[in-house]
Amino acid sequence: MLGGCRRALPAALGRALRGRAAGQGGRAVSTSWCPVGTAFDAKQQQQQPLRGGAAGRDTGLFGVPELSCPEGFQEAQNKALQESEQLVQKACSTPPGPETVMIFDQLSDSLCRVADLADFVKVAHPDFAFREAAEEACRNIGTVVEKLNTDVELCQSLRRLLADETVMSSLDPETRRVAELFMFDFEISGIHLDEEKRKKAVDLNVRILDLCNEFLIGTHIPNKIDKHVLPEHIRYNFTAEGNYLRVAGLHADCPDDLVREAAYKIFLHSNSQQLARLEELLANRNSLAQLVGYDTFAHRALQGTMAKNPETVRQFLEKLSEQLSKRTQKDFEMMTKMKTKLNPHNSMLMPWDHPYYSGVLRAERYNIDPGLYCPFFSLGACMEGLNSLFSQLLGISLYAEETKRGEIWSEDVRKLAVVHETEGLLGYIYCDFFQRPDKPHQDCHFTVRGGRLKENGEYQLPVVVLMLSLPNSARGTPTLLSPGMMENLFHEMGHAMHSMLGRTRYQHVTGTRCATDFAEVPSILMEYFANDYRVVNQFARHYKTGQPLPKNMVSRLCESKKVCAAADMQLQVFYAVLDQIYHGKHPLKKSTTEILKETQEKVYGLPYVPNTAWQLRFSHLVGYGAKYYSYLMSRAVASMVWKQCFAQNPFDRAMGERYRREMLAHGGGKEPMLMVQGMLQKSLSVEDFVDALVSDLDHDFETFIMDS
């Protein structure tokens, strides 16, 4: 999953040139670097003070001098805003030419260097004062960004460039695209409107930003219930607070049907305040879209994506649902039989049963016990596996680098230098992998600083954070990953490599700053590598004996994921359809809860549970509004790329270089569908996307015979 800001604004400006310009990389291997696996399995705690100390001033978070204390966010923000004012003046007085695009990109970079960093700090820093200061910086810069998006004089400077056919014809394709993207950012913000309507657009954007933050917080708040409401024998499953029990999740893996049912009904119980936030958010998004000239928010949001419009998304989801229908029904029948077998008095399959009984079926059919796999997946071994794969495929190595005091926010964070065999240092990855109090339980990639070619010819190295929620190991033993954790690590590292190799000239389109339905392709593709025995065999060793993970265990694990996979995918289709309806034509014909009930029973197939409102926990409505389908479409592309380009040989260097050249190097500086077509060497239809997803559900005949 992607985190951090990917703003569409003339202050997120600049996506462009692929390839390597003068000044990029070229740094020799540092003596402060050490092998990546050692850094994680040794688990040597740095024990450095995180804020201040007698030894002098800290270097500041991520090496940013101002951020040695929370108050530094105000200083960094003021500096960025002052710089942006100067750049706006410069842009407005510069004659049309390539320098116009570079100035816009500098403007984008000056604001995003603070906003992107603050986006991460506000959710992950252990110090509340840092989180609060970062939140304030995000809001203030976001407000400035929305005002810049409707700055007529600033827009005119770009319009003069686009209107000058002679100058435009002299620009390289990436620079032309970035100029057009900046103008697109102005247009979707309402630059063509009169002053009163432009102000209304700014106000709507600022209100939407606030509502998104409030709604996101609300999706995670636990619900409480009087403990006497629940049977005494299941109360211990929930946290007691006086006479109340706190329910903070769905307890989806609990074997007790009654616990799962209680958790589902309590955690998803409707909340009037959260419902009001969602309704206002959807209404404001629709008002903004119609104000700037779009039929719906979905039409506005899907501009520039692979899908291009809601009609294509609807066609994709409908065709996929048709193809999944019979398979999903069979999956539900299998789950119902299993539930009847284990609980003959209550055999009706309910929404809280799906994740549990699909897991029971997988474990029973393929003898999958995560505990059998964990000893083979130490964190250090997995990191060495990634290092080996990237080295063979892309000529890239990962090295652990020592950090300075105050540079990191928790002592178990590790800093990795990403080094190419001929191009040198490409950028940095900060690995925030372990659980701690107040840290979100989510796996996420954050852009902290985007790459770009600076005015002096040097390349600004990208900086990203990978955030996981791995358990802390006992001292002296390595951190052991479940198969799911290992796959998630590969997924997030796919985002990181996109950030490192999307070395564009312009910050606006660097790395993962691209269409949402393309951004998940590199990360999902890494899941295919994580499930290939040839890849896993290079690093999966028992941490005590050194024994390699047997091939049949990997095969069984991969095949087990196909059990009830149609029902799992159908659930994702339901989420995507619901998202499209919420962001479609307004006013909505029914309440969001009535729409949920109707869509769940029509698309998903399991009954709606009265008095629940799952949509109020649907956090993806914030970052993926009208774009939740992206996970499915990206998976389809990743599947096609894997089968056509890497299934035969996952270490094929020539294919790895082609993958970098066609798909990673451009960031968002090229139309996403053109990148996919360049990699696959063919045009794609909606049916191709659907067929790719459905074909992944078929069981491997060799594994089936072997297990039989």
Side-chain angles (χ1 to χ4, degrees):
M1 174 184 175
L2 290 169
C5 78
R6 288 187 291 157
R7 295 172 168 75
L9 57 155
L13 298 52
R15 302 176 199 185
L17 214 95
R18 59 189 169 95
R20 182 167 171 262
Q24 289 180 265
R27 175 176 165 183
V29 174
S30 167
T31 55
S32 68
W33 291 344
C34 70
V36 65
T38 305
F40 287 92
D41 265 354
K43 216 105 154 60
Q44 298 287 329
Q45 301 293 342
Q46 296 185 41
Q47 301 298 343
Q48 60 181 355
L50 298 179
R51 286 186 54 192
R57 184 179 173 87
D58 287 352
T59 185
L61 289 172
F62 299 102
V64 178
E66 295 90 347
L67 299 184
S68 59
C69 61
E71 295 74 24
F73 267 108
Q74 183 68 49
E75 186 181 347
Q77 173 190 305
N78 292 343
K79 184 177 177 182
L81 295 179
Q82 185 178 15
E83 184 180 351
S84 69
E85 288 177 8
Q86 295 170 353
L87 288 167
V88 168
Q89 293 174 5
K90 187 176 180 182
C92 294
S93 60
T94 299
E99 189 182 358
T100 303
V101 183
M102 289 196 68
I103 294 169
F104 268 69
D105 194 59
Q106 285 176 261
L107 175 57
S108 165
D109 185 59
S110 68
L111 294 172
C112 280
R113 276 204 315 271
V114 178
D116 284 343
L117 193 157
D119 267 341
F120 168 72
V121 173
K122 74 178 184 181
V123 298
H125 202 287
D127 187 328
F128 176 76
F130 263 106
R131 296 200 302 271
E132 191 175 44
E135 176 71 53
E136 182 66 16
C138 280
R139 191 180 192 284
N140 292 339
I141 288 185
T143 301
V144 170
V145 162
E146 300 308 338
K147 289 179 179 177
L148 287 174
N149 278 336
T150 53
D151 186 313
V152 175
E153 190 179 357
L154 183 63
C155 179
Q156 286 288 64
S157 68
L158 186 62
R159 192 164 275 151
R160 286 194 295 272
L161 169 64
L162 293 169
D164 193 321
E165 294 182 8
T166 303
V167 174
M168 285 297 289
S169 64
S170 70
L171 301 179
D172 62 84
E174 288 91 348
T175 302
R176 281 202 302 274
R177 174 167 167 79
V178 169
E180 290 163 357
L181 285 170
F182 284 141
M183 182 52 68
F184 171 69
D185 293 342
F186 279 118
E187 289 170 351
I188 65 170
S189 297
I191 195 67
H192 53 286
L193 303 173
D194 60 41
E195 184 176 356
E196 183 180 346
K197 289 181 178 178
R198 287 200 308 274
K199 183 181 183 305
K200 184 178 179 181
V202 171
D203 291 342
L204 278 169
N205 267 310
V206 172
R207 181 58 185 152
I208 287 168
L209 186 64
D210 288 341
L211 285 166
C212 283
N213 288 331
E214 293 169 14
F215 181 79
L216 199 56
I217 291 169
T219 62
H220 300 296
I221 293 176
N223 278 340
K224 292 181 181 180
I225 190 169
D226 189 316
K227 68 180 182 182
H228 299 100
V229 173
L230 295 183
E232 190 172 354
H233 71 278
I234 70 167
R235 294 176 192 169
Y236 74 92
N237 290 279
F238 308 107
T239 303
E241 294 183 357
N243 287 324
Y244 292 90
L245 295 174
R246 182 165 61 90
V247 182
L250 294 175
H251 292 248
D253 296 328
C254 181
D256 190 325
D257 287 358
L258 188 57
V259 171
R260 295 196 313 280
E261 179 181 353
Y264 188 94
K265 291 180 175 178
I266 298 167
F267 187 66
L268 298 183
H269 193 272
S270 187
N271 176 288
S272 59
Q273 287 183 308
Q274 184 74 339
L275 188 60
R277 289 186 197 109
L278 176 59
E279 289 172 347
E280 187 182 352
L281 173 61
L282 296 177
N284 282 2
R285 280 176 168 174
N286 181 73
S287 296
L288 175 64
Q290 293 192 329
L291 181 66
V292 300
Y294 291 91
D295 289 342
T296 68
F297 181 79
H299 283 90
R300 179 180 184 266
L302 295 179
Q303 290 287 304
T305 62
M306 284 197 292
K308 296 187 182 300
N309 56 63
E311 292 73 30
T312 301
V313 174
R314 183 170 62 250
Q315 185 184 14
F316 167 62
L317 294 173
E318 286 176 355
K319 287 181 179 293
L320 179 56
S321 190
E322 288 171 12
Q323 291 290 316
L324 292 173
S325 179
K326 290 183 179 179
R327 292 174 185 251
T328 300
Q329 195 56 43
K330 286 182 180 179
D331 287 351
F332 285 153
E333 288 171 3
M334 287 194 301
M335 286 185 247
T336 301
K337 286 180 181 178
M338 178 58 72
K339 182 174 182 180
T340 303
K341 176 182 173 182
L342 298 178
N343 186 2
H345 302 295
N346 183 15
S347 60
M348 183 177 178
L349 196 69
M350 298 298 289
W352 55 80
D353 293 323
H354 177 162
Y356 176 71
Y357 284 108
S358 60
V360 171
L361 284 165
R362 291 184 190 107
E364 183 182 79
R365 184 170 298 183
Y366 289 99
N367 190 27
I368 301 300
D369 177 2
L372 297 175
Y373 288 84
C374 292
F376 294 91
F377 294 140
S378 73
L379 178 56
C382 293
M383 294 302 295
E384 284 294 357
L386 285 162
N387 192 34
S388 174
L389 176 63
F390 293 147
S391 176
Q392 295 174 77
L393 207 57
L394 298 163
I396 283 173
S397 297
L398 306 174
Y399 295 95
E401 180 171 302
E402 188 177 337
T403 56
K404 297 176 182 177
R405 195 184 72 160
E407 183 179 349
I408 57 177
W409 50 99
S410 179
E411 62 186 10
D412 54 12
V413 172
R414 297 290 178 266
K415 179 183 180 182
L416 301 183
V418 181
V419 183
H420 190 271
E421 60 190 16
T422 60
E423 298 171 33
L425 182 63
L426 299 182
Y428 291 105
I429 303 170
Y430 287 83
C431 300
D432 187 356
F433 283 173
F434 300 100
Q435 296 174 1
R436 62 175 175 269
D438 294 327
K439 179 183 174 182
H441 285 272
Q442 64 187 61
D443 298 339
C444 205
H445 163 280
F446 290 86
T447 296
V448 170
R449 184 177 71 198
R452 73 181 183 99
L453 186 62
K454 295 194 288 188
E455 300 68 47
N456 61 7
E458 294 179 359
Y459 197 79
Q460 176 173 290
L461 297 177
V463 175
V464 303
V465 175
L466 294 190
M467 188 169 75
L468 304 179
S469 298
L470 302 180
N472 286 284
S473 64
R475 186 171 291 276
T477 62
T479 298
L480 302 179
L481 277 58
S482 68
M485 292 174 185
M486 183 272 285
E487 186 177 281
N488 288 348
L489 172 62
F490 271 64
H491 177 104
E492 299 304 336
M493 195 60 79
H495 284 311
M497 283 301 109
H498 197 183
S499 291
M500 295 298 113
L501 294 173
R503 294 173 68 78
T504 55
R505 180 185 298 175
Y506 302 106
Q507 187 268 162
H508 190 48
V509 291
T510 186
T512 59
R513 297 198 206 280
C514 57
T516 306
D517 55 7
F518 180 82
E520 293 293 332
V521 173
S523 55
I524 294 174
L525 180 61
M526 284 299 295
E527 295 177 21
Y528 286 86
F529 284 96
N531 286 287
D532 187 277
Y533 177 72
R534 294 162 295 180
V535 175
V536 174
N537 188 50
Q538 292 212 334
F539 68 88
R541 297 288 184 274
H542 196 287
Y543 78 101
K544 287 183 178 178
T545 67
Q547 173 193 355
L549 182 64
K551 183 177 182 180
N552 70 325
M553 285 183 68
V554 178
S555 300
R556 291 205 312 271
L557 180 65
C558 293
E559 287 304 294
S560 74
K561 295 175 182 178
K562 297 177 183 178
V563 176
C564 300
D568 294 342
M569 192 176 290
Q570 190 68 53
L571 181 60
Q572 295 301 309
V573 173
F574 158 50
Y575 295 161
V577 170
L578 187 68
D579 175 43
Q580 288 297 304
I581 295 172
Y582 284 168
H583 291 102
K585 192 170 181 60
H586 275 242
L588 297 173
K589 294 179 180 178
K590 299 179 180 180
S591 71
T592 59
T593 303
E594 288 172 324
I595 291 169
L596 170 78
K597 177 182 184 297
E598 185 178 282
T599 308
Q600 178 171 327
E601 294 176 350
K602 178 183 175 183
V603 179
Y604 181 33
L606 293 186
Y608 165 77
V609 180
N611 301 315
T612 62
W614 176 86
Q615 77 275 20
L616 304 184
R617 300 289 184 180
F618 193 9
S619 59
H620 282 82
L621 288 174
V622 171
Y624 284 73
K627 298 179 184 179
Y628 191 82
Y629 77 92
S630 297
Y631 286 108
L632 289 165
M633 190 164 278
S634 289
R635 183 166 293 280
V637 173
S639 174
M640 288 185 274
V641 171
W642 170 259
K643 290 168 186 170
Q644 183 174 318
C645 305
F646 296 109
Q648 188 173 349
N649 177 10
F651 308 110
D652 187 332
R653 179 63 180 270
M655 199 58 74
E657 292 297 340
R658 179 170 143 193
Y659 174 53
R660 177 183 180 180
R661 183 175 64 252
E662 296 290 347
M663 294 189 75
L664 298 180
H666 304 281
K670 188 174 180 180
E671 283 192 35
M673 195 60 87
L674 292 179
M675 291 190 273
V676 175
Q677 290 172 359
M679 187 68 193
L680 297 175
Q681 298 291 292
K682 64 179 181 181
S683 297
L684 299 173
S685 65
V686 169
E687 288 76 15
D688 290 325
F689 287 94
V690 172
D691 290 345
L693 289 171
V694 175
S695 67
D696 273 355
L697 303 176
D698 295 329
H699 286 276
D700 179 72
F701 185 71
E702 180 184 344
T703 304
F704 175 78
I705 293 297
M706 180 179 67
D707 283 336
S708 297

